[in-house]
């Protein structure tokens, strides 16, 4: 047994390292849905011929499929050989790695659940970016905003524009990016509501409030946008300016003086429709329409999204939508942002796309054909978003980076119009594809500032085009754009902070939070690679990392054309942006919906804590009984008999020692049709009891233990694919443990706290910590009466210490089941309950 185990350990170790110096296989570190395009990229510093490549089961070390379809894609930077390795036609769920020659990829899962929770994960960053009350810091900032500038009669007056989000690591706020972020989150929720959960309240603090978290974030943004439009014709475009760039400090410590006193308020820029200048820099504003159209589309769609939650507020912004739109009609042109100390602004110079979208949302809200006619007119003035297929652009020159109005026109019930705008969408994709085919990663995005935002925009356009037409011509490019964001890129890193937590991701993003040592920008999408010429000519950008930790320059992997760095002071490639992050919520929520469809489940209503499921659907009057054991089985007869009497299938989670001590018990449980899974091999304590955020085991120790555990299960006739859920030893874990397990294709679950059913292990010598079976039973009934037990994972120990003679499983288990059945509860098997 030990011999086989150590062979697997060696194989597993190889997965983390290239087989020889100078060769790598890049993958989507998150993993792959079974029914999806799956392509990895091999790259080598030497001239290498890849004839075939293999997919290997990470748990058994066996080759499950060999392919001979490697596609040579030439040289890239220092890589003399690159190949695309397509394994799309392999659909069996499991955990695998690729091998080409002696080179192996990192391990990755293939299953229907890999995108679950990823769209909600992005909202961590949105909450961090909140201005006004900031739930991450549990403090408020910029509470004196602000003082009007550029208004013909109100300049110098105070206006309440608290709220919204900081744009990035600086504390500027722009209608341009904020409105787009709001719209994209609304679109994501409108299209994929089943992909979003409720774990936070309206203030962004932990605790469900009956409203999906993304709707809470939408409302936070719309509240601010509403303040930025206090009266008809009075639209504001920007709070603060680049005088903000006065060094890294936390937002609640922002004492920049804009002339109103240190930290006592910031300028609020009125949309005058004319160039605005402060200091020596002048923007190129030509009108108001680019901002007005964004207000209109957000208010029109926002009224629909929020009507069921905030009807009065929804009515208020609905009434503002057309008035904002009419300002754009009266003052056509682009409204740019303003700077004082430097030339860097958002140089948006297109605006018909914003008016097109505003008109379409008004048309959808009112049914008035005049808006449809106007949307059509605006849409025809810019058939293709100009950056698509271009080599370069000025900063945010053509924004938003995807024209959502085109998508809505492509969906209208008019064949001629629909075909015209489908063609427009396809043309933008085709122009990008023509550039992409020259790239081993099939990535045809210009590497201007915020290239990842462009990647996300094209990703969205590809999917919407594919869904609208059924044409999968660009499905491989769509997958490549997605995989690029999760590590299938030259650097082998995810572009979203801590997603996945078990992978390589930006550990030193340009962030005041990180600089101050108070946390990372969890969930934030970083800017992404830029042309080398851009990086080398920016002011103040450098490779300095966190004090005591050098930045990662990825020198070995930098292509000739562009660069990416993971360094605190590289604001050009490694700064998270609020709008880019928000724009990704649609695609990730759509992928989660795809996964749920492939798994045959309507939604994921599980309740998660630190990545582990601690409760199943709270709306269902169902309970799941789970049992754990390390080395005791004295409850076997009573538990098996009671469950059989009531026709209940339980979930049993045992350590390696248990499997070795009680093989007959395991066989009995399997014969009875119960789920039997892992409780680890060695019953390790992963973290100190006094500090859940630290670790007592390394990732290697954890993985070795899990591998040994599943080898033991396999000897008992249980394949790891049959036991994809896992209860950690001592029912004690943190988010790192959950992430490491997820990378192995395993989902951590745990008992639902509150009932104290898990206290059935206590013994009389524990004094006040001892809990009698009657106490436990009464506590369960008390919780049921006060809060209900819907979705509870109720844990009972399969065996307890001899010093405890009052065994819960002898009498009270039967009594509890009878009582709860009378109260209308059903007992659901663990995999059915969690949907895995």
């Amino acid at each position: 047994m030990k011999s086989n185990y150590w062979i697997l350990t060696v194989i597993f170790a190889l997965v983390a390292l290239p087989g020889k110096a100078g060769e790598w296989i890049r993958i989507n570190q998150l993993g792959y849905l079974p029914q999806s395009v799956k392509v990895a990229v091999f790259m080598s510093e030497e001239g290498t011929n890849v004839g075939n490549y293999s997919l290997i089961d990470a748990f058994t070390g066996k080759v499950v499929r060999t392919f001979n379809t490697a596609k040579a894609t030439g040289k890239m930077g220092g890589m003399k050989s690159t190949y695309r390795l397509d394994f799309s036609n392999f659909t069996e769920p499991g955990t695998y790695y690729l091998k080409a020659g002696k080179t192996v990829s990192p391990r990755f899962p293939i299953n229907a659940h890999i995108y679950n929770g990823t769209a909600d994960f992005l909202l961590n960053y949105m909450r961090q970016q909140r201005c006004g009350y900031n739930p991450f810091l549990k403090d408020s900032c910029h509470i004196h905003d602000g003082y009007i500038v550029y208004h013909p009669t109100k300049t110098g007056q105070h206006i309440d524009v608290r709220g919204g989000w900081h744009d990035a690591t600086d504390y500027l706020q722009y209608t341009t990016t904020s409105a787009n972020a709001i719209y994209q989150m609304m679109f994501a929720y409108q299209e994929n509501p089943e992909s979003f959960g409720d774990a936070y309240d309206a203030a962004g603090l932990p605790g469900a409030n009956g409203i999906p978290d993304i709707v809470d974030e939408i409302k936070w943004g719309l509240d601010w946008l509403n303040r930025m439009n206090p009266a008809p014709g009075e639209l504001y475009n920007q709070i603060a300016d680049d005088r903000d760039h006065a060094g890294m400090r936390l937002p609640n410590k922002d004492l920049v003086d804009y002339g109103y006193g240190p930290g006592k308020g910031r300028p609020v820029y009125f949309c005058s429709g004319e160039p605005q200048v402060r200091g020596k820099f002048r923007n190129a504003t030509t009108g108001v329409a680019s901002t007005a159209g964004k207000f209109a589309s957000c208010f029109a769609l926002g009224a629909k999204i929020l009507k069921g939650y905030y009807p009065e507020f929804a009515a208020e912004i609905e009434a503002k939508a057309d008035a904002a739109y009419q300002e754009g009609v009266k003052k056509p042109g682009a409204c740019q942002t303003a700077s004082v100390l430097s030339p860097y602004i958002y140089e948006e110079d297109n605006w018909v796309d914003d008016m097109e979208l505003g008109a379409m949302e008004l048309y959808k809200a009112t049914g008035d054909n005049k808006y449809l006619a106007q949307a059509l007119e605006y849409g025809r003035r810019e058939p293709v978003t100009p950056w698509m297929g271009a080599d370069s652009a000025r900063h945010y020159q053509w924004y938003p980076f995807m024209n959502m109005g085109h998508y809505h026109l492509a969906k209208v019930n008019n064949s001629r119009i629909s075909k015209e705008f489908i063609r427009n969408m396809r043309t933008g994709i085709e122009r990008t594809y023509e550039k992409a085919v020259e790239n081993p990663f099939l990535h045809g995005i210009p590497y201007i500032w915020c290239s990842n935002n462009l990647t996300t925009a094209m990703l969205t356009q590809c999917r919407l085009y594919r869904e609208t037409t059924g044409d999968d011509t660009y499905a491989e490019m769509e997958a490549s754009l997605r995989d690029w964001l999760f590590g299938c890129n030259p650097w082998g890193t995810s572009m979203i902070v801590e997603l996945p937590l078990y992978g390589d991701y930006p550990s030193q993003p340009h962030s005041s939070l990180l600089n101050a040592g108070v946390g990372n920008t969890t969930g934030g999408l970083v800017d992404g690679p830029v042309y080398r010429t851009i990086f080398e000519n920016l002011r103040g950008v450098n490779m300095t990392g966190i004090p005591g930790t050098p930045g990662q320059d990825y020198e070995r992997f930098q292509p000739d054309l562009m660069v990416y760095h993971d360094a605190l002071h590289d604001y050009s490639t490694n700064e998270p942006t609020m709008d880019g992050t928000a724009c990704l919520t649609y695609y990730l929520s759509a992928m989660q919906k795809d996964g749920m469809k492939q798994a045959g489940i309507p939604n994921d209503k599980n309740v998660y804590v630190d990545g582990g499921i601690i409760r199943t659907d709270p709306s269902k009057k169902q309970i799941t009984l789970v049992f754990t054991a390390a080395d005791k089985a004295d409850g076997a007869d009573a538990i098996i008999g009671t469950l059989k009497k009531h026709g209940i299938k339980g979930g049993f989670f045992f350590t390696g020692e248990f499997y070795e001590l009680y093989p007959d018990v395991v066989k009995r449980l399997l014969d009875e049709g119960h789920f039997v899974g892992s409780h680890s091999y060695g019953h390790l304590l992963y973290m100190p009891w006094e500090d859940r955020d630290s670790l007592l085991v390394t990732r290697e120790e954890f993985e070795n233990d899990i591998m040994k555990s599943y080898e033991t299960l396999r000897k008992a006739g249980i394949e790891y694919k049959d036991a994809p859920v896992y209860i950690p030893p001592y029912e004690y874990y943190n988010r790192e443990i959950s992430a490491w397990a997820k990378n192995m294709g395993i989902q951590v679950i745990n008992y639902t706290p509150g009932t104290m059913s898990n206290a059935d292990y206590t013994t009389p010598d524990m004094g006040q910590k001892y809990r009698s079976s009657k106490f436990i039973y009464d506590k369960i009934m008390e919780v049921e009466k006060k809060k209900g037990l819907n979705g509870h994972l109720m844990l009972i120990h399969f065996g307890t210490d001899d010093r405890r003679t009052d065994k819960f499983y002898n009498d009270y288990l039967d009594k509890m089941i009878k009582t709860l059945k009378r109260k209308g509860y059903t007992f659901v098997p663990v995999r059915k309950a969690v949907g895995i």
Side-chain angles (χ1 to χ4, degrees):
M1 181 191 73
K2 283 190 175 181
S3 174
N4 291 338
Y5 164 63
W6 285 111
I7 289 172
L8 288 176
T9 301
V10 170
I11 291 172
F12 226 11
L14 285 173
V15 173
L17 298 169
K20 65 178 182 177
E23 294 184 356
W24 298 266
I25 298 175
R26 301 306 198 198
I27 57 157
N28 180 330
Q29 297 175 105
L30 204 60
Y32 302 88
L33 294 177
Q35 304 292 332
S36 71
V37 176
K38 311 176 194 71
V39 183
V41 174
F42 171 92
M43 58 189 203
S44 174
E45 292 172 319
E46 301 173 357
T48 305
N49 180 42
V50 176
N52 55 50
Y53 52 100
S54 299
L55 190 65
I56 298 172
D57 188 308
F59 278 87
T60 66
K62 294 180 179 178
V63 174
V64 296
R65 185 77 62 85
T66 298
F67 305 85
N68 58 6
T69 53
K71 180 181 178 182
T73 45
K75 181 180 180 294
M76 185 178 196
M79 302 298 152
K80 295 181 180 178
S81 303
T82 64
Y83 288 83
R84 291 182 63 77
L85 312 180
D86 192 334
F87 55 107
S88 300
N89 62 7
F90 184 86
T91 60
E92 181 68 24
T95 306
Y96 306 96
Y97 60 90
L98 287 161
K99 185 175 182 182
K102 294 181 180 179
T103 304
V104 296
S105 74
R107 178 184 52 239
F108 55 84
I110 296 177
N111 62 56
H113 313 286
I114 59 167
Y115 287 95
N116 285 15
T118 54
D120 272 335
F121 187 81
L122 301 175
L123 301 180
N124 285 297
Y125 182 66
M126 300 302 292
R127 288 186 286 270
Q128 279 189 348
Q129 291 299 105
R130 285 193 183 189
C131 189
Y133 178 72
N134 186 290
F136 181 76
L137 296 172
K138 294 183 175 59
D139 198 2
S140 295
C141 65
H142 304 113
I143 59 175
H144 302 291
D145 285 344
Y147 292 91
I148 296 171
V149 294
Y150 283 105
H151 193 284
T153 62
K154 295 185 177 182
T155 292
Q157 293 183 19
H158 183 269
I159 181 175
D160 180 5
V161 285
R162 294 168 298 155
W165 304 284
H166 304 130
D167 198 50
T169 292
D170 55 35
Y171 303 131
L172 283 75
Q173 296 176 255
Y174 301 108
T175 298
T176 302
T177 51
S178 296
N180 185 40
I182 295 165
Y183 186 88
Q184 291 290 335
M185 288 192 293
M186 290 192 295
F187 182 73
Y189 178 69
Q190 177 180 255
E191 297 298 304
N192 310 310
E194 60 271 60
S195 295
F196 295 97
D198 174 23
Y200 292 84
D201 64 17
L205 297 170
N209 64 344
I211 299 174
D213 294 334
I214 195 167
V215 176
D216 287 327
E217 218 54 39
I218 290 165
K219 175 61 162 55
W220 182 265
L222 284 171
D223 274 337
W224 177 79
L225 202 65
N226 189 39
R227 293 189 186 104
M228 294 286 279
N229 177 206
E234 191 175 347
L235 308 177
Y236 292 90
N237 198 50
Q238 175 178 339
I239 299 178
D241 51 50
D242 63 340
R243 286 173 288 181
D244 167 277
H245 300 166
M248 285 192 170
R249 74 273 179 207
L250 294 174
N252 54 339
K253 307 294 183 184
D254 185 8
L255 298 177
V256 171
D257 190 346
Y258 292 89
Y260 315 110
K264 295 301 182 181
R266 303 183 295 174
V268 184
Y269 286 76
F270 175 67
C271 294
S272 64
E274 299 172 349
Q276 295 176 347
V277 57
R278 295 180 66 94
K280 63 180 180 179
F281 298 104
R282 172 184 288 269
N283 66 21
T285 292
T286 58
V288 169
S290 63
T291 296
K294 292 182 179 75
F295 272 107
S297 59
C298 281
F299 286 157
L301 181 55
K304 179 180 179 182
I305 296 292
L306 295 184
K307 186 175 182 179
Y309 299 106
Y310 302 98
E312 292 182 5
F313 179 77
E316 180 182 354
I317 61 174
E318 184 177 32
K320 288 186 171 186
D322 180 67
Y325 176 76
Q326 296 306 327
E327 286 301 304
V329 173
K330 288 187 288 185
K331 297 179 181 179
C335 185
Q336 294 189 350
T337 64
S339 66
V340 176
L341 302 176
S342 67
Y344 305 142
I345 62 169
Y346 290 144
E347 300 182 70
E348 184 177 12
D349 66 9
N350 63 337
W351 54 273
V352 293
D353 55 337
D354 299 298
M355 292 297 287
E356 176 188 354
L357 181 58
M360 279 307 297
E361 287 298 346
L362 284 164
Y363 168 65
K364 290 166 68 178
T366 65
D368 190 334
N369 283 322
K370 74 178 181 183
Y371 293 120
L372 177 60
Q374 290 169 6
L376 189 59
E377 179 186 350
Y378 285 125
R380 285 173 172 163
R381 293 173 69 173
E382 188 177 89
V384 178
T385 302
W387 73 260
M388 296 178 182
D391 290 324
S392 191
R394 296 194 304 275
H395 191 42
Y396 277 56
Q397 180 179 2
W398 297 302
Y399 188 80
F401 298 121
M402 185 219 160
N403 188 339
M404 291 296 300
H406 279 13
Y407 166 70
H408 292 305
L409 281 166
K411 298 279 285 185
V412 298
N413 187 27
N414 180 304
S415 177
R416 181 179 57 82
I417 295 173
S418 177
K419 288 179 180 178
E420 177 182 350
F421 282 87
I422 285 172
R423 182 172 64 249
N424 291 342
M425 291 178 71
R426 183 173 63 246
T427 300
I429 297 171
E430 178 63 27
R431 289 179 180 178
T432 305
Y433 180 78
E434 288 171 356
K435 290 188 64 181
V437 293
E438 302 171 2
N439 185 295
F441 294 92
L442 206 58
H443 194 258
I445 303 298
Y447 299 107
I448 57 175
W449 212 342
C450 298
S451 65
N452 279 343
N453 294 13
L454 274 64
T455 297
T456 299
M458 180 51 61
L459 182 59
T460 300
Q461 183 151 319
C462 284
R463 181 179 177 100
L464 292 177
Y465 169 79
R466 177 169 56 85
E467 285 191 338
T468 302
T469 64
D471 179 6
D472 62 359
T473 299
Y474 307 103
E476 185 177 351
M477 184 175 77
E478 177 190 332
S480 296
L481 292 165
R482 174 188 71 227
D483 296 346
W484 174 275
L485 296 178
F486 289 106
C488 193
N489 54 51
W491 312 275
T493 182
S494 170
M495 296 291 175
I496 301 106
V497 178
E498 297 184 358
L499 186 63
L501 186 62
Y502 54 76
D504 188 297
Y505 56 80
S507 61
Q508 300 194 54
H510 182 68
S511 163
S512 299
L513 300 176
L514 198 66
N515 187 64
V518 298
N520 209 340
T521 55
T522 302
L525 173 70
V526 299
D527 286 333
V530 299
Y531 288 120
R532 196 176 289 272
T533 52
I534 292 178
F535 175 77
E536 292 172 352
N537 286 284
L538 288 172
R539 301 179 181 182
V541 68
N542 61 71
M543 286 302 302
T544 305
I546 302 168
T549 306
Q552 168 63 269
D553 61 13
Y554 291 109
E555 181 179 357
R556 195 172 188 180
F557 306 116
Q558 301 292 7
D560 296 330
L561 189 65
M562 73 282 202
V563 295
Y564 169 76
H565 310 108
D566 184 11
L568 182 66
H569 292 281
D570 179 5
Y571 62 82
S572 66
T573 74
N574 208 41
E575 181 176 11
T577 63
M578 172 272 300
D579 61 316
T581 301
C583 290
L584 194 52
T585 57
Y586 164 70
Y587 193 85
L588 293 189
S589 62
M591 290 300 290
Q592 177 171 333
K593 187 165 74 172
D594 284 351
M596 292 188 293
K597 183 177 180 181
Q598 291 180 30
I601 55 174
N603 48 43
D604 180 9
K605 292 288 185 70
N606 295 313
V607 177
Y608 293 80
V609 171
D610 288 333
I613 297 172
I614 57 106
R615 189 174 185 176
T616 67
D617 190 345
S619 69
K620 294 183 178 178
K621 205 165 184 180
Q622 66 182 31
I623 294 169
T624 296
L625 296 179
V626 293
F627 304 83
T628 60
D631 59 0
K632 293 179 175 60
D634 47 278
D637 290 339
I639 291 169
I640 293 172
T642 300
L643 296 185
K644 187 171 185 177
K645 172 184 174 182
H646 291 284
I648 293 170
K649 301 302 180 185
F652 295 85
F653 300 84
F654 302 138
T655 64
E657 183 179 7
F658 187 98
Y659 281 95
E660 291 161 358
L661 287 172
Y662 307 107
D664 292 343
V665 173
V666 172
K667 187 176 185 306
R668 283 177 67 191
L669 290 167
L670 292 172
D671 289 345
E672 292 283 343
H674 297 290
F675 174 92
V676 186
S678 174
H679 191 44
S680 82
Y681 182 83
H683 208 244
L684 306 176
L685 181 63
Y686 295 145
M687 304 90 64
W689 293 110
E690 66 276 8
D691 184 8
R692 197 181 195 113
D693 292 331
S694 63
L695 288 165
L696 294 173
V697 296
T698 65
R699 180 173 179 177
E700 181 181 10
E701 289 168 337
F702 170 82
E703 293 177 341
N704 287 345
D705 180 80
I706 293 296
M707 289 293 285
K708 193 172 181 181
S709 170
Y710 276 85
E711 183 183 355
T712 304
L713 265 68
R714 191 159 56 252
K715 290 182 177 180
I718 306 165
E719 294 297 324
Y720 77 93
K721 296 174 187 178
D722 299 323
V725 293
Y726 158 73
I727 295 183
Y730 303 100
E731 294 78 55
Y732 191 54
Y733 70 98
N734 62 19
R735 66 192 195 115
E736 281 82 10
I737 297 298
S738 294
W740 295 346
K742 189 169 184 178
N743 181 230
M744 301 176 80
I746 300 165
Q747 174 63 54
V748 166
I749 67 170
N750 205 9
Y751 65 88
T752 308
T755 65
M756 299 191 76
S757 69
N758 59 304
D760 65 339
Y761 74 93
T762 57
T763 55
D765 59 296
M766 291 181 176
Q768 292 185 348
K769 292 184 178 180
Y770 174 67
R771 299 290 183 263
S772 69
S773 294
K774 182 179 185 305
F775 175 92
I776 293 170
Y777 174 84
D778 290 344
K779 183 67 175 177
I780 292 169
M781 296 308 154
E782 176 189 334
V783 173
E784 193 285 324
K785 184 176 181 180
K786 290 182 178 179
K787 300 180 179 179
L789 299 175
N790 287 15
H792 267 237
L793 289 157
M794 193 173 294
L795 185 141
I796 298 160
H797 288 91
F798 197 66
T800 60
D801 194 287
D802 291 342
R803 287 172 293 179
R804 182 182 182 106
T805 57
D806 175 23
K807 309 282 190 178
F808 186 85
Y809 53 70
N810 277 340
D811 299 308
Y812 279 96
L813 177 61
D814 179 67
K815 182 179 179 181
M816 179 192 76
I817 292 171
K818 286 179 179 177
T819 304
L820 293 176
K821 277 190 169 183
R822 285 199 301 270
K823 290 178 177 288
Y825 291 92
T826 57
F827 289 82
V828 179
V830 62
R831 290 193 67 178
K832 181 178 179 182
V834 300
I836 294 176

